[in-house]
Amino acid sequence: MQSLPLLPYFAQQAQTKLPANIWHYLQSDAGHGAQLQTNEAGWQAKKLLPRPLQVLHHPSTQCELFGEQWAHPIMLAPVAYQKLFHADGEIGTAVACNAQQGQMMVSSLASQPVEEIINQAQQPLWFQLYWQGSREATAVLLNKVLAAGASAIVFTVDAPVKQALIDLPAGIVAVNLARPLSMQPISAGQSPVFDGWMTQAPTWDDVAWLRQQLKVPLLIKGLMHVDDAKRTLAIGCEGVVVSNHGGRVLDSTPSVAAVLPGIVAAVGGQCKILVDSGIRSGQDVFKALAMGADAVCIGRPYVWGLAAEGAMGVAKVIRTLRDELEMTMALTGVSNLAEIRKVELYA
Ligand code: FNR
């Protein structure tokens, strides 16, 4: 019997159903919980003022990016190895996303074939790219996912050194990669970070190379600094995903809510701005849009749904956040996403 609101209930269910090491992999952050708390508190610190008695004209949460239309601006962030959480895996997530008329980013570390995920979704999906150590190996992966029907590439750049690692159970692998990403072998006396991970990390030159290669929109995920957002724009990328990877990589970063206004001031209107990390409610979605984001992504919350009830759980999470967004719009007197952007948050 469910007595909690849906998201905490699904989180509780996920914790109960998942083996302890998988729950830890899902929830962990680089700050032993502190970074997650910072992320969530960043959105919670922004406040809303009620605006009753407004007439809503054709109210809608419809969102358009790069010519794609969705019923709402709540995208599913790339999350690796989803068969860890439920047998439905990425295919279940994709089907739920389509049923809720939204968009998802399929991880480079997906545990099911990207062709099958897109096929079952019955819509083009976005693909999240991890650098494959060289331009040649990266091009092989890109050609595969573009042939499968990926309609945008989201290049994640904030995790060249992996912290959130898990010993994968038998049968769960990154099936879309020719060679699983791992640390370069090092010899005695060498640094795992400098000689292991960083020798295969991408650079800004690779971003420019990627932009030249691709005919679909390219977004760079994992930026927090204004100068990096400006550089992304100067290279000609179509968007940035302001994110600290859900707090899983660099410890002690500010919340995304804290850095978003600076990035909006620098590149807003010139490229699309998406945000994630710590978004837990439709109110948080509303606040991110009011601060200038074009859309948001959620990570852990939909995985709680996946772990609790498979594809149906993912669909319920998306619908719940959308319901909360609609309620927030009604209570603040705004009819659409453009009007949300004009709302001033209460400091
Ligand atoms: C992630 N994230 C992630 N990001 C990415 O670009 N590629 C990936 O494969 C993964 N894998 C992954 C696994 C797990 C278990 C988690 C929780 C997260 C980061 C993800 O896309 C997103 O940035 C965060 O999850 C957003 O923060 P919240 O919503 O989880 O707080």
Side-chain angles (χ1 to χ4, degrees), residues 1-16 304 309 316 320 324:
M1 189 62 188
Q2 180 188 338
S3 57
L4 289 167
L6 189 88
L7 259 61
Y9 171 71
F10 276 169
Q12 191 191 60
Q13 288 284 301
Q15 184 168 15
T16 310
W304 299 333
E309 294 185 4
K316 286 183 187 174
T320 298
E324 291 172 354

Side-chain angles (χ1 to χ4, degrees), residues 225-241:
H225 198 294
V226 170
D227 291 350
D228 293 339
K230 285 185 185 164
R231 194 157 179 181
T232 300
L233 179 67
I235 287 172
C237 297
E238 283 77 4
V240 294
V241 185

Side-chain angles (χ1 to χ4, degrees), residues 175-244:
V175 292
N176 297 296
L177 304 184
R179 179 180 64 89
L181 294 169
S182 60
M183 196 185 83
Q184 288 283 88
I186 53 170
S187 32
Q190 283 194 312
S191 152
V193 174
F194 297 143
D195 305 302
W197 289 111
M198 292 310 288
T199 52
Q200 54 185 1
T203 66
W204 282 109
D205 286 347
D206 297 313
V207 175
W209 170 80
L210 258 184
R211 183 51 284 164
Q212 283 175 350
Q213 301 298 306
L214 292 170
K215 295 192 173 62
V216 298
L218 173 63
L219 297 91
I220 307 300
K221 175 173 181 281
L223 302 183
M224 298 277 283
H225 198 294
V226 170
D227 291 350
D228 293 339
K230 285 185 185 164
R231 194 157 179 181
T232 300
L233 179 67
I235 287 172
C237 297
E238 283 77 4
V240 294
V241 185
V242 187
S243 164
N244 61 18

Side-chain angles (χ1 to χ4, degrees), residues 77-78 80 107 128 130 156 221 245-246 248 276-278 280 299-300:
S107 169
Q128 176 268 324
Y130 273 135
T156 300
K221 175 173 181 281
H245 214 107
R248 294 165 74 81
D276 74 22
S277 300
R280 296 291 177 268
R300 293 177 186 85

Side-chain angles (χ1 to χ4, degrees), residues 78-319:
V79 168
Y81 307 118
Q82 294 188 17
K83 279 207 304 184
L84 279 175
F85 310 110
H86 193 280
D88 287 356
E90 288 83 3
I91 291 175
T93 299
V95 167
C97 176
N98 175 266
Q100 292 298 324
Q101 302 166 64
Q103 185 54 291
M104 84 180 259
M105 302 169 180
V106 178
S107 169
S108 278
L109 302 176
S111 54
Q112 291 167 323
V114 64
E115 296 82 359
E116 223 173 294
I117 301 168
I118 294 180
N119 193 28
Q120 296 283 333
Q122 299 183 9
Q123 69 176 67
L125 299 176
W126 293 12
F127 183 80
Q128 176 268 324
L129 175 72
Y130 273 135
W131 192 246
Q132 296 301 298
S134 69
R135 292 184 181 180
E136 294 69 29
T138 302
V140 170
L141 177 60
L142 281 174
N143 289 339
K144 173 185 168 70
V145 303
L146 291 168
S151 57
I153 299 297
V154 181
F155 182 27
T156 300
V157 295
D158 60 357
V161 181
K162 304 273 180 244
Q163 294 214 36
L165 292 173
I166 181 169
D167 285 329
L168 292 170
I172 298 191
V173 282
V175 292
N176 297 296
L177 304 184
R179 179 180 64 89
L181 294 169
S182 60
M183 196 185 83
Q184 288 283 88
I186 53 170
S187 32
Q190 283 194 312
S191 152
V193 174
F194 297 143
D195 305 302
W197 289 111
M198 292 310 288
T199 52
Q200 54 185 1
T203 66
W204 282 109
D205 286 347
D206 297 313
V207 175
W209 170 80
L210 258 184
R211 183 51 284 164
Q212 283 175 350
Q213 301 298 306
L214 292 170
K215 295 192 173 62
V216 298
L218 173 63
L219 297 91
I220 307 300
K221 175 173 181 281
L223 302 183
M224 298 277 283
H225 198 294
V226 170
D227 291 350
D228 293 339
K230 285 185 185 164
R231 194 157 179 181
T232 300
L233 179 67
I235 287 172
C237 297
E238 283 77 4
V240 294
V241 185
V242 187
S243 164
N244 61 18
H245 214 107
R248 294 165 74 81
V249 187
L250 177 64
D251 185 21
S252 288
T253 75
S255 69
V256 165
V259 300
L260 179 59
I263 293 183
V264 169
V267 303
Q270 301 171 80
C271 69
K272 296 299 176 191
I273 300 177
L274 280 62
V275 285
D276 74 22
S277 300
I279 290 178
R280 296 291 177 268
S281 66
Q283 290 80 1
D284 292 346
V285 177
F286 183 100
K287 291 171 188 177
L289 299 177
M291 291 165 72
D294 294 287
V296 308
C297 317
I298 53 168
R300 293 177 186 85
Y302 81 83
V303 184
W304 299 333
L306 182 67
E309 294 185 4
M312 183 58 81
V314 177
K316 286 183 187 174
V317 168
I318 301 169
R319 186 65 233 192

